[in-house]
Amino acid sequence: MELKFYNSLTRQTEPFHSLKPDTVGMYTCGPTVYNFAHIGNFRAYIFEDFLRRTLEFAGYKVKQVMNLTDVDDKTIRGSQAAGVPLQDYTKPYIEAFFADLKALNIEPAEVYPAATQHIPEMKHLIEALFEKGIAYKSDDGSVYFSVERFPAYGRLAHLDRSALRSGVRISNDEYEKESFGDFALWKGWDEKDGDVVWDAPWGRGRPGWHLECSAMSMKYLGESFDLHTGGIDNLFPHHENEIAQAEAVTGKPFVHTWMHCAHLQVNGQKMSKSLGNFFTLRDLLGKGYTGREIRYVLLSGHYRQPLNFTFDALTAARSALARIDGCTDALRLRAKETGADDGVRVPSTLEAFGAALADDLNASEAFAALYAFVRSANAALTAGLSPAGAREALEVFAKMDRVLGFIDFGRSAEAEIPAEVQALADARAKARAEKNWAESDRLRDELARMGWQVRDSREGQTLRPVAQ
Ligand code: AMP
Ligand code: ZN
């Protein structure tokens, strides 16, 4: 299976080959843990999960590293406003982030390095940049990276370098820099930072944001690695600066393939904290939507196209998932029956599914292959698919779900059913057998009020908690 990805560095869709056989090193820029992540952020993390799972589907072993930015202006300000030490302030947001990843069935990365735990690695990079004459100290005690002294600067963003030289900007927060495009590697201590400070030979302070990703990615993935991802807003200046810091020190190509997802939007604008047009995952869970439904919506568009967030899309996801559940429930019931294997199989669409993934993660084509399979499986069930055929069809679904992560396989249908719920369901089955439709509908509504959905098929009724 040859994968092709759009590489932001070359602006081309290219065949993907890992640097080492069979394993992929992948770095994904993670959350700043000063608040709950919003579902715009999760669009990026879901795209990265889709990429990771596609690589695994293609047979690679993936080592993914996702950083936690636990020191920056926002975390420091937040901790001061709350009157607690920085790490006490960020801890609950880190925990919430991991809970959210789980709710969205995002596969965990292998390493989640926190910036505050990697200050020595960052200081080493600064030392090396001083030695190479690329870092310089400014009059406020900060250390800057000189873009003039690194001629390759601007490759990722395809910048016109002359724009970087247009003089020196001095504002409240920015002291004298040699060039407009220079960025901080180290921020000299400022009263506003309180006790969030580290000693360094060039003066007390704290690291710049860009530096943490160069230092931590190289620590865990080596000086050159395969993939680096983030939302499109990370491309410049963050990723450009990461390349500059790393390559200026090592002299080696930092990352082979850069991939960026377009934004989740609300009414044509980026979903963001600053615009206030955001929902956190817990906002949506609180409204009764499920992690599966949200995952489905965030996966459903091509990652390089903006995706508009609407509640209608969540409702559509609910019915799409119900259709898939209906099919897999019926297959599971059929698979348990006894009967001869007549050799009839649901024609697999796995090949089309894999080809869609390989084509720069074409989600809509992959979803189309999934639905083609659902249609054929339903038709085969009606035509009398054998238990062996049903088991094979479930295996195809399982393979697709390695990547999609939203197919249920009756996990929730097999959830523990409280005795009173089971009693109502049994009464409903009896009412149906007696063709007492009014009573069976009444019992169905009562079960729904208790949070259980009943589904009927030729094989009987299944129960499933609504909230999963
Ligand atoms: P931040 O915490 O702002 O650094 O963002 C964490 C990740 O979420 C980064 O990869 C951002 O590019 C990404 N991101 C932020 N807002 C959105 C959005 N509306 N849509 C997609 N990705 C986003
Ligand atoms: Zn980063």
Side-chain angles (χ1 to χ4, degrees), residues 154-310:
R155 248 179 343 162
L156 177 65
H158 299 258
L159 286 183
D160 173 0
R161 283 180 54 88
S162 63
L164 297 169
R165 283 185 215 112
S166 54
V168 170
R169 187 172 65 175
I170 305 173
S171 70
N172 290 342
D173 295 334
E174 270 176 61
Y175 285 76
E176 195 145 354
K177 299 194 284 189
E178 287 178 8
S179 271
F180 174 69
D182 294 355
F183 57 91
L185 297 163
W186 187 258
K187 299 195 174 182
W189 184 77
D190 180 301
E191 253 171 66
K192 285 190 294 200
D193 292 351
D195 62 356
V196 181
V197 63
W198 287 269
D199 282 324
W202 48 86
R204 309 167 73 211
R206 61 181 164 101
W209 170 44
H210 313 300
L211 190 66
E212 77 178 77
C213 285
S214 298
M216 300 196 290
S217 60
M218 289 197 287
K219 168 159 183 181
Y220 294 102
L221 296 170
E223 292 179 343
S224 296
F225 58 93
D226 299 294
L227 278 166
H228 198 315
T229 60
I232 191 71
D233 56 304
N234 282 162
L235 190 148
F236 185 82
H238 183 51
H239 289 165
E240 188 70 55
N241 294 352
E242 278 190 45
I243 296 178
Q245 296 160 144
E247 294 191 358
V249 170
T250 68
K252 297 180 189 160
F254 177 43
V255 175
H256 189 273
T257 306
W258 289 84
M259 292 174 72
H260 297 97
C261 71
H263 284 143
L264 184 69
Q265 301 185 335
V266 181
N267 297 325
Q269 277 185 308
K270 177 188 174 190
M271 180 179 284
S272 71
K273 290 257 164 61
S274 54
L275 290 172
N277 59 352
F278 66 91
F279 292 99
T280 63
L281 185 66
R282 49 212 63 220
D283 290 336
L284 297 182
L285 297 178
K287 288 180 192 290
Y289 297 100
T290 65
R292 282 175 88 199
E293 289 161 359
I294 299 160
R295 177 177 176 91
Y296 183 100
V297 169
L298 294 178
L299 261 183
S300 60
H302 193 280
Y303 76 94
R304 286 197 287 122
Q305 298 295 326
L307 182 69
N308 200 37
F309 172 75
T310 62

Side-chain angles (χ1 to χ4, degrees), residues 333-343 345 384-391:
L333 288 172
R334 185 68 57 85
K336 282 188 208 146
E337 286 174 13
T338 46
D341 181 5
D342 58 6
R345 294 294 179 263
L385 183 67
S386 70
R391 281 194 290 276

